[in-house]
């Protein structure tokens, strides 16, 4: 008996694709999909027809007929069994994850894409879904071409051989393409009818395949020993022996004996043979991807998939053992289609090959179309996939079927696709790894709603599944594995930047919450140390229209610390039907996104702004992350500028309409009221403003007053060098302060932090020392100046602060304080307006136009509320016309000279 080697064998390196079947549903709640345009429910398939049959056929494919001899012949029975157990262990880990996710809620059409996208988000789901779709498209092309070559191997005309009426089909590139197109057209016709006819055809093929397998098993027992002559190409012949069940044959086939693969000419080893073996075990998601057609997907998927895996495992196991018992090495290694010559009726094997190839072609075509339809419905790739949204009255996505048929038709033009087989399997493995990752993320996130009814899994199995899939990818083909990961990353970035947010929920948010909670519990305020102090800022914002420049400036000042935008809505909840604050959060968060600042938002409702500020200071933050510094805008009568009318970010004509969370520039413009008219009465009286400063100091919070920040010029790379000016002395009462008190050091620290921000590094820090030539402990003239500068330079050196020191002669200004300056400092007597104006003029002239921002010492407000108005007037006169200025009073030690 003679057996011709076939090019078909060269292509059978992977299993049937996991087709995604059923119309997808992008609703966040996962409700049952209903066919478009009709009230009928397309869910008709049972566990057996919808899961067991397609999964078994997918895992068998043509490998069961064409690669058993290859594996046993090269690896021997012992290593073949090791490969089988390892391969199924890897597959089993992913099956557990599939079962867990599919029993955690209603799974709609789209299969792997649906589960991954609804768990890991649209970026990951869209990327994996597109790669899975392309894998199905190429796989369909390879299976169709493989079926054509299998037919031509028996019925194709051979000009160089003897005349044979059986071999009458003409061959050649054009004829091969024609035959492949006819087969693909047949598959498309079945898919256009719908999944029901496909399931019926699959069941028929299922029965046919098992009949063929039964004849193979009977042949092992019934066929007598025979010799098989094998011819490769021209005159190269081999003689293989079928011995029947024989212990000597088993003994000879126990150990590995790797040699050349006659279809490729490559020397085989454990890795290459294992890769081929593993390809016969993929296809586990074919049933899962029929989720849109199943009556009870949450019950059918786990039961059917597990049954299918068990069936295929034992079939492979039995075939391995009987093959090692009955066939010698030559027969196994030189004729991978040895089942045909030893069968009781050889055409049975051909029927099995044709049936599995046709089943694989249909499965990949209908599966790819369902994945494409799901991708199109989710609008992840825009108009490119718009035709794939079209469906029939019965819910069959005929647009996606035709779209996929056209792509497969292009693939058929290549004629031979042996180079595609490896990358198809790699793409499948990426999808399997993503399923494991999705299950792992759900388990690690400890989300209360993750309650799968299938519990035979843990995060250990998920992690092992991910690692094993990645190892198999690189074992099969390192180049393809690396390239597929690069493609995945590119698709991730593309979808992330072009697609809007979805309502599916993001597992990343659950994971972040889970980890942040754990780390917040570890963040113990009792372990705080001055060496690691950083500002944690609460910025009170009345109206963002007038505060955008300050919001962005404070973002530079936080130095990786906590930054919160606080706002108080005035009102009484008892008189309102609902809390108005809750609906405002989305607008504030969208504002944060537009300004590109790293800030949280906290809003409250109180009868007065002062009470609201107290509440925010007490309760904002969590654990060790609570504000230590309060920033307020300055209280004056300046006409506020409307930043929304100046910046293009807030222009409705230029800003994107499709904001990720439904809040575009027009909505922001409408939500936040126009800037206050100077004549309009204030909601916050002056006394309450100063009282807020007192409240913050009582709560041991540092206080910062920010003035003139609408005039701030943001630093740019092309702007000339400018300065950050620091005046560390209390200019209102110089006698009551010193350069090295806690408040002065806090002032220096905040200025240094600003200078460390990336956009402010080009600025030079300048410190101004106000020195009087008379008094001051007996120092006179230049010697007093030199001593003051040397002392302060030594302090800056210890604090590792690089700054220029400017000594300012303060005699002319100090003379305007009057004869009772000491009494003014101790008893808070009024400070003369002449002195305040002179001090203001000195600060402005010393800094000049080169100053970007000024840091001034903020004295404590008086305890007597009757003096609050005068305190504000003094600050107003001192800082008027100075440009962007921060008045700072620090209570916290923030500097350290030790390591």
């Amino acid at each position: 008996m003679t057996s011709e080697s076939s090019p078909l064998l060269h292509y059978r390196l992977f299993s049937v694709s996991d087709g995604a079947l059923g119309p997808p549903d992008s609703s966040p709640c996962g409700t049952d999909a209903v066919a478009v345009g009709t009230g009928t429910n397309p869910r008709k398939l049972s566990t057996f027809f919808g899961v067991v049959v397609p999964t078994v056929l997918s895992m068998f494919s043509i490998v069961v007929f064409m690669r058993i001899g290859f594996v046993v012949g090269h690896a021997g029975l012992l290593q073949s069994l090791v490969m089988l157990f390892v391969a199924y262990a890897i597959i089993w880990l992913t099956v557990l994850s599939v079962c867990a996710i599919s029993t955690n809620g209603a799974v709609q059409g789209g299969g792997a894409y649906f589960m991954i996208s609804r768990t890991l988000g649209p970026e990951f789901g869209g990327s994996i879904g597109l790669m899975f779709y392309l894998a199905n498209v190429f796989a369909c092309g390879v299976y169709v071409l493989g079926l054509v070559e299998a037919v031509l191997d028996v019925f194709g005309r051979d000009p160089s051989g003897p005349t044979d009426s059986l071999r009458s089909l003409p061959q050649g590139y054009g004829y091969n393409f024609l035959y492949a197109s006819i087969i693909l057209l047949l598959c498309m016709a079945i898919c256009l009818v719908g999944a029901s006819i496909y399931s019926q055809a699959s069941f028929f093929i299922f029965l046919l395949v098992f009949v063929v397998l039964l004849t193979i098993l009977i042949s092992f027992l019934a066929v007598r020993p025979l010799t098989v002559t094998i011819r490769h190409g021209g005159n190269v012949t081999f003689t293989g022996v079928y011995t029947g069940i024989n212990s000597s044959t088993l003994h000879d086939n126990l150990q590995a004996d790797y040699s050349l693969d006659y279809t490729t000419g490559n020397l085989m080893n454990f890795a290459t043979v294992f890769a081929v073996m593993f390809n016969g075990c993929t296809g586990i998601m074919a049933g899962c991807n029929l989720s849109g057609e199943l009556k009870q997907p949450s019950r059918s998927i786990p039961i059917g998939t597990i049954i299918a895996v068990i069936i295929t495992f034992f079939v492979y196991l039995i075939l391995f053992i009987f093959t090692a018992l009955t066939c010698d090495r030559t027969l196994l290694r030189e004729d991978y289609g040895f089942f045909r010559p030893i069968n009781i009726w050889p055409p049975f094997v051909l029927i099995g090959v044709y049936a599995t190839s046709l089943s694989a072609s249909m499965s990949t075509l209908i599966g790819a179309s369902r994945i494409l339809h799901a991708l199109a419905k989710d609008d992840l790739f825009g108009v490119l996939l718009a035709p794939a949204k079209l469906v029939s009255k019965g819910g069959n996505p005929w647009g996606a079927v035709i779209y996929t048929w056209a792509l497969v038709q292009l693939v058929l033009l290549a004629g031979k696709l042996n180079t595609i087989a490896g990358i198809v399997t790699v793409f499948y493995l990426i999808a399997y790894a993503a399923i494991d990752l999705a299950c792992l993320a759900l388990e690690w996130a400890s989300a209360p709603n993750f309650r799968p009814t299938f519990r035979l899994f843990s995060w250990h199995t998920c992690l092992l599944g991910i690692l094993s899939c990645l190892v198999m990818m690189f074992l099969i083909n390192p180049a393809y594995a690396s390239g597929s990961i690069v493609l995945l990353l590119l698709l991730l970035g593309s979808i992330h930047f072009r697609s809007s947010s979805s309502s599916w929920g993001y597992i990343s948010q659950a994971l972040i919450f889970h980890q942040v909670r754990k780390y917040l519990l570890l963040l113990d305020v009792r372990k705080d140390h001055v060496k690691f102090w950083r500002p944690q800022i609460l910025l009170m914002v009345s109206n963002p229209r007038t505060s955008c420049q300050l919001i962005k400036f404070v973002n530079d000042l936080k130095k990786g610390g906590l930054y919160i935008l606080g706002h108080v809505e005035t009102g009484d909840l008892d008189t309102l039907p609902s809390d108005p604050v809750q609906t405002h959060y989305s607008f504030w968060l969208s504002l944060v996104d537009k300004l590109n600042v790293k800030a949280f938002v906290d809003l409250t409702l109180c009868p007065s702004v002062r009470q609201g500020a107290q509440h925010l200071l007490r309760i904002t933050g969590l654990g060790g992350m609570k504000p230590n510094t309060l920033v307020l805008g300055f209280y004056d009568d300046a006409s506020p500028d409307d930043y929304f009318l100046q910046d293009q970010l807030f222009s409705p004509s230029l800003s994107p309409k499709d904001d990720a969370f439904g809040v575009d520039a027009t909505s922001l413009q409408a939500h936040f009221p126009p800037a206050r008219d100077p004549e309009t009465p204030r909601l916050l009286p002056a006394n309450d403003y100063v009282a807020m400063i007192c409240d913050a100091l009582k709560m041991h919070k540092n206080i910062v007053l920010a003035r003139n920040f609408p005039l701030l010029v943001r630093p740019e790379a092309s702007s000339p060098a400018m300065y950050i000016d620091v005046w560390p002395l209390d200019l209102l009462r110089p006698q009551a302060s010193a350069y090295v008190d806690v408040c002065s050091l806090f002032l220096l620290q905040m200025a240094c932090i600003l200078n460390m921000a990336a956009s402010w590094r080009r600025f030079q820090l300048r410190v101004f020392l106000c020195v009087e030539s008379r008094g001051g402990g007996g120092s006179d003239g230049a010697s007093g100046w030199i001593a003051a500068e040397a002392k302060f330079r030594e302090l800056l050196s210890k604090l590792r602060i690089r700054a220029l020191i400017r000594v300012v002669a303060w005699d002319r200004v100090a003379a305007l304080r009057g004869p009772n300056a000491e009494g003014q400092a101790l008893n808070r007597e009024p400070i003369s307006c002449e002195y305040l104006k002179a001090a203001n003029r000195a600060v402005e002239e010393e800094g000049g136009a080169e100053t970007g921002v000024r840091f001034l010492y903020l004295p404590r407000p008086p305890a007597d509320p009757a003096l609050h108005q005068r305190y504000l007037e003094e600050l107003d006169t001192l800082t008027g016309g100075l440009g962007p200025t921060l008045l700072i009073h620090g209570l916290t030690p923030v500097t350290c000279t030790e390591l």
Side-chain angles (χ1 to χ4, degrees), residues 441-464:
L442 287 169
E443 181 71 6
W444 274 354
S446 299
N449 281 321
F450 183 56
R451 300 187 296 270
T453 56
F454 182 87
R455 294 301 305 169
L456 300 178
F457 77 100
S458 70
W459 68 267
H460 305 85
T461 62
C462 300
L463 186 59
L464 283 174

Side-chain angles (χ1 to χ4, degrees), residues 508-653:
S508 58
Q509 294 297 303
L511 288 170
I512 290 170
F513 176 89
H514 187 258
Q515 293 304 112
V516 167
R517 181 191 64 84
K518 291 171 66 174
Y519 286 122
L520 275 174
L521 290 173
L522 296 175
L523 191 60
D524 192 342
V525 294
R526 296 169 297 182
K527 298 178 182 178
D528 284 348
H529 193 278
V530 65
K531 289 189 297 186
F532 307 112
W533 181 89
R534 67 181 71 231
Q536 304 200 94
I537 298 173
L538 170 63
L539 171 62
M540 298 298 299
V541 180
S542 174
N543 189 343
R545 285 178 175 268
T546 61
S547 307
C548 288
Q549 286 282 53
L550 180 58
I551 292 172
K552 293 197 286 187
F553 174 80
V554 175
N555 187 62
D556 294 334
L557 196 63
K558 69 182 186 304
K559 187 54 180 176
L562 180 67
Y563 181 23
I564 300 172
L565 301 182
H567 175 72
V568 179
E569 294 275 350
T570 54
D572 188 352
L573 191 59
D574 291 338
T575 63
L576 299 171
S578 61
D579 185 2
V581 165
Q582 300 305 318
T583 59
H584 296 175
Y585 270 98
S586 61
F587 295 95
W588 283 84
L589 292 172
S590 293
L591 173 74
V592 167
D593 293 338
K594 280 195 174 294
L595 294 177
N596 195 27
V597 296
K598 298 177 181 178
F600 299 95
V601 172
D602 214 343
L603 313 178
T604 189
L605 179 72
C606 275
S608 71
V609 175
R610 180 185 176 188
Q611 289 182 18
Q614 290 176 356
H615 292 173
L616 291 176
L617 280 172
R618 285 194 179 98
I619 65 176
T620 296
L622 192 63
M625 295 188 68
K626 297 182 74 70
N628 56 31
T629 303
L630 175 66
V631 180
L632 301 173
F634 196 77
Y635 194 96
D636 58 20
D637 295 324
S639 299
D641 295 328
D642 194 331
Y643 189 81
F644 282 16
L645 301 179
Q646 301 172 6
D647 197 289
Q648 292 184 350
L649 280 174
F650 299 94
S651 172
S653 60

Side-chain angles (χ1 to χ4, degrees), residues 447-496:
N449 281 321
F450 183 56
R451 300 187 296 270
T453 56
F454 182 87
R455 294 301 305 169
L456 300 178
F457 77 100
S458 70
W459 68 267
H460 305 85
T461 62
C462 300
L463 186 59
L464 283 174
I466 295 171
L467 296 176
S468 59
C469 287
L470 293 176
V471 168
M472 277 306 307
M473 283 169 51
F474 284 92
L475 187 64
I476 291 172
N477 193 309
Y480 285 161
S482 303
S484 63
I485 291 174
V486 171
L487 176 61
L488 174 63
L489 295 176
L490 292 175
L491 289 172
L492 277 170
S494 173
I495 298 175
H496 175 75

Side-chain angles (χ1 to χ4, degrees), residues 764-815:
Q764 179 73 43
L765 207 60
R766 287 193 303 193
V767 180
F768 292 88
L769 301 182
C770 302
V771 178
E772 298 179 42
S773 58
R774 54 186 173 80
S779 301
D780 60 345
S783 60
W785 293 10
I786 295 172
E789 181 179 357
K791 183 178 179 181
F792 204 81
R793 193 176 300 280
E794 181 183 359
L795 173 65
L796 293 180
S797 176
K798 290 181 179 179
L799 297 177
R800 290 91 59 204
I801 297 176
R802 300 177 60 184
L804 299 176
I805 297 178
R806 293 276 294 272
V807 177
V808 180
W810 205 246
D811 298 276
R812 179 172 54 86
V813 179

Side-chain angles (χ1 to χ4, degrees), residues 57 61-62 64-65 205 209 351-361:
L57 290 177
S61 180
I62 203 169
V64 73
F65 298 113
I205 295 173
V209 168
I351 293 172
V353 170
Y354 297 160
T356 52
S357 295
L358 184 62
S359 171
S361 303

Side-chain angles (χ1 to χ4, degrees), residues 621-702:
L622 192 63
M625 295 188 68
K626 297 182 74 70
N628 56 31
T629 303
L630 175 66
V631 180
L632 301 173
F634 196 77
Y635 194 96
D636 58 20
D637 295 324
S639 299
D641 295 328
D642 194 331
Y643 189 81
F644 282 16
L645 301 179
Q646 301 172 6
D647 197 289
Q648 292 184 350
L649 280 174
F650 299 94
S651 172
S653 60
L654 298 177
S655 182
K657 299 288 184 183
D658 54 341
D659 181 83
F661 298 94
V663 182
D664 56 12
T666 304
S667 302
L668 286 176
Q669 292 271 15
H671 177 75
F672 294 110
R676 179 185 62 84
D677 189 304
E679 303 300 325
T680 305
R682 293 176 178 270
L683 293 176
L684 179 65
N687 283 346
D688 277 7
Y689 178 82
V690 180
M692 287 169 59
I693 300 174
C694 297
D695 294 340
L697 295 175
K698 289 177 183 177
M699 296 179 189
H700 206 69
K701 308 293 184 183
N702 310 298

Side-chain angles (χ1 to χ4, degrees), residues 85-106:
F85 281 102
V86 172
Y88 268 82
I90 294 173
I91 291 300
W92 184 253
L93 294 172
T94 303
V95 168
L96 297 180
S97 298
V98 170
C99 295
I101 295 178
S102 62
T103 59
N104 190 52

Side-chain angles (χ1 to χ4, degrees), residues 48 56 235 322 374 380 474 507-508 513 517 588 638 665 710 742:
F48 181 75
V56 169
N235 298 321
F322 274 97
L380 296 182
F474 284 92
I507 190 62
S508 58
F513 176 89
R517 181 191 64 84
W588 283 84
V742 170

